[in-house]
Amino acid sequence: MMEQEGFYDSDTNENYRGLIKRFQKDSGRLKDATTHADLIADNKLQSIQNAIGQLNSKKLETQEQGRAIRRLVRQTNKDLLFINEIKSALEKTDFVLAENPVILPDAEQDTNSSMIVCLSDIHYGAYVDMPENYYDTQVVEGLLIKYADKVIKLIEENKVYSVDIVNLGDIVEHAYMRNQNLYDSEETLSEQIVHVTKLIIDFIQRIRQHVELITYRGIAGNHDRMQGDKNSNLNSDHAVNISNQIIKMWIELSGSDVEFIDSDSYFTDINVQGWNFAFVHGDRNSLNKKTTLAELGEQYDRHYDAVLGGHLHRFSMLEVGDNRFQATFGSIKGMDEYSKKISAKSSRSQGVVLVNQNEFEIRKVNYNGCSKVLLLCKSIE
Ligand SMILES: [Mn+2]
């Protein structure tokens, strides 16, 4: 055991020596003073001196090992604590039951359209209370229901028979990123991840009531990283990874026929009716930069018709080639003190892409009519 902990020499450990001595004394095996003196006379003193010399030279090394071990113990405890927090948040959360209704096609009209539905920058856990916007965890639920209903309306108007839901990241506000977030956050990180995932599942199931073929996938944003510093982060160490696992678990346990698509942590792409779409959050690949679509095409060896992202918290569309686009969708969160401070005021919005064999249309989905008063009412309900 001691060797595993990095202590190879028990003779140089004073506490260990004391322990053995005490045990020997208690069990009557400790030699008396006369015998002890004899031992010294028998040149045993030399070996003790050697041991002290060894102790001094080992001291630095031992300190280093001790630090490494303490760090390991701290990290292990932190991870275990986090997993336990997730577990207890899951136990306290009720997930919607999966239903897989048969959706009868409209006999009179062709149903040949598909739709990509993006979810972006939910920032669950953020608390905003300013003249232009109000946002808290209660409000998120209402806003996601409203968005799902807008999507359902588009499904019906456009005779959509298949939907691919792509989560573009920043699902949680995260408590540890900027100092400002510390007092603008609600709930612990584990609670934020579990609760926003519950709302995402509600969103998926609400749409599933109106269309039979649904896929879901999610990539991570900068707020989803477990550690704020992007350089010190393992690639899959992010909130969306945990959220994805919960969604997969829900699909499996509830018998949902929604298809979960695995993807990279920070990139995914999809072919819908012959058109190629790429997705990034937008923090690692700037969607303001006109060459991003071409660069992603080069990197993944594919001709992309559009690359879609979030991150900027505003709708933008840039034509960067012949009918080829870079677009960003807005946030569910809407304006906050931070966006105001960096003069990036913009409205709450989301976005979809309507696709058929002949064309695709990137469309902003507005949140008109969600005044602060209405949001507050929803929150109080
Ligand atoms: Mn964001």
Side-chain angles (χ1 to χ4, degrees):
M1 275 171 67
M2 289 184 66
E3 278 178 9
Q4 278 173 7
E5 295 296 324
F7 299 102
Y8 295 97
D9 195 353
S10 61
D11 293 334
T12 60
N13 184 315
E14 180 57 27
N15 287 338
Y16 182 76
R17 195 193 61 81
L19 183 81
I20 298 298
K21 277 270 183 185
R22 208 158 45 243
F23 176 74
Q24 287 176 330
K25 186 165 183 264
D26 289 345
S27 58
R29 278 187 274 172
L30 191 65
K31 300 194 169 47
D32 61 31
T34 324
T35 324
H36 185 67
D38 288 342
L39 280 174
I40 296 167
D42 285 340
N43 275 338
K44 294 286 179 191
L45 189 63
Q46 189 56 47
S47 64
I48 295 169
Q49 279 170 340
N50 289 346
I52 291 168
Q54 266 179 16
L55 175 69
N56 285 334
S57 69
K58 281 260 178 193
K59 204 170 171 183
L60 274 176
E61 196 188 329
T62 313
Q63 274 176 349
E64 200 41 57
Q65 283 167 346
R67 258 198 292 277
I69 289 162
R70 279 193 298 276
R71 198 159 47 227
L72 201 68
V73 167
R74 260 201 316 273
Q75 190 56 44
T76 310
N77 286 343
K78 216 175 87 189
D79 289 350
L80 277 177
L81 204 72
F82 187 67
I83 289 164
N84 278 327
E85 276 180 22
I86 294 269
K87 192 169 155 253
S88 102
L90 276 172
E91 280 164 0
K92 288 181 203 141
T93 307
D94 286 325
F95 291 88
V96 67
L97 288 173
E99 282 180 62
N100 307 314
V102 175
I103 314 292
L104 291 172
D106 193 322
E108 287 168 25
Q109 272 174 292
D110 284 348
T111 51
N112 58 8
S113 293
S114 302
M115 185 156 66
I116 297 167
V117 174
C118 292
L119 273 171
S120 194
D121 295 274
I122 301 175
H123 288 263
Y124 184 94
Y127 178 75
V128 180
D129 188 1
M130 55 197 279
E132 297 92 334
N133 188 23
Y134 182 82
Y135 196 69
D136 65 13
T137 53
Q138 300 288 305
V139 164
V140 186
E141 184 176 3
L143 288 171
L144 279 173
I145 290 172
K146 202 171 166 94
Y147 182 34
D149 288 347
K150 282 168 185 273
V151 166
I152 290 162
K153 198 160 168 259
L154 287 170
I155 287 170
E156 284 166 358
E157 283 169 3
N158 296 280
K159 312 290 170 204
V160 170
Y161 75 96
S162 74
V163 168
D164 297 291
I165 302 173
V166 183
N167 191 329
L168 297 171
D170 276 5
I171 60 169
V172 290
E173 176 67 359
H174 202 318
Y176 319 114
M177 270 199 50
R178 286 188 289 265
N179 289 336
Q180 170 228 351
N181 297 28
L182 281 175
Y183 54 87
D184 282 354
S185 302
E186 296 181 300
E187 305 188 358
T188 66
L189 179 60
S190 343
E191 288 167 336
Q192 288 177 11
I193 296 171
V194 172
H195 294 161
V196 74
T197 303
K198 175 207 150 42
L199 299 182
I200 292 169
I201 290 172
D202 289 348
F203 179 82
I204 298 170
Q205 181 58 49
R206 201 173 178 89
I207 294 172
R208 175 60 189 85
Q209 302 289 354
H210 299 265
V211 67
E212 265 188 61
L213 296 172
I214 295 194
T215 72
Y216 176 87
R217 71 190 75 199
I219 57 172
N222 46 321
H223 277 255
D224 300 314
R225 281 194 286 271
M226 296 307 220
Q227 280 143 16
D229 180 7
K230 65 179 171 195
N231 298 319
S232 74
N233 222 303
L234 291 172
N235 232 15
S236 61
D237 193 12
H238 55 75
V240 175
N241 189 23
I242 299 167
S243 171
N244 284 346
Q245 300 306 325
I246 298 171
I247 293 171
K248 268 197 225 180
M249 207 166 71
W250 172 77
I251 289 173
E252 197 188 310
L253 296 178
S254 69
S256 165
D257 62 3
V258 168
E259 190 185 353
F260 184 92
I261 311 285
D262 283 300
S263 63
D264 288 354
S265 284
Y266 297 101
F267 177 84
T268 188
D269 60 8
I270 188 169
N271 182 299
V272 184
Q273 305 212 22
W275 306 97
N276 283 315
F277 301 93
F279 304 86
V280 292
H281 178 65
D283 57 323
R284 297 182 169 211
N285 312 78
S286 167
L287 292 174
N288 281 330
K289 200 176 85 178
K290 282 186 171 179
T291 51
T292 296
L293 182 138
E295 282 162 15
L296 287 171
E298 186 67 31
Q299 193 178 345
Y300 293 95
D301 196 19
R302 195 162 293 174
H303 171 106
Y304 289 119
D305 296 290
V307 50
L308 306 158
H311 188 57
L312 301 175
H313 294 204
R314 62 178 160 81
F315 178 76
S316 71
M317 194 153 78
L318 201 60
E319 189 163 16
V320 292
D322 181 10
N323 200 34
R324 299 168 82 187
F325 300 90
Q326 289 178 190
T328 62
F329 294 138
S331 68
I332 300 258
K333 178 186 175 188
M335 199 187 302
D336 64 7
E337 290 293 348
Y338 182 72
S339 56
K340 208 172 160 184
K341 201 162 72 190
I342 60 168
S343 307
K345 280 177 154 190
S346 56
S347 66
R348 194 193 314 282
S349 75
Q350 292 289 282
V352 302
V353 188
L354 283 158
V355 190
N356 64 40
Q357 282 186 339
N358 305 320
E359 57 182 357
F360 68 89
E361 187 196 341
I362 297 168
R363 199 183 283 192
K364 178 187 178 203
V365 176
N366 291 316
Y367 262 105
N368 296 338
C370 284
S371 69
K372 184 181 167 184
V373 176
L374 275 176
L375 290 172
L376 275 167
C377 290
K378 179 73 207 166
S379 172
I380 290 158
E381 276 169 23

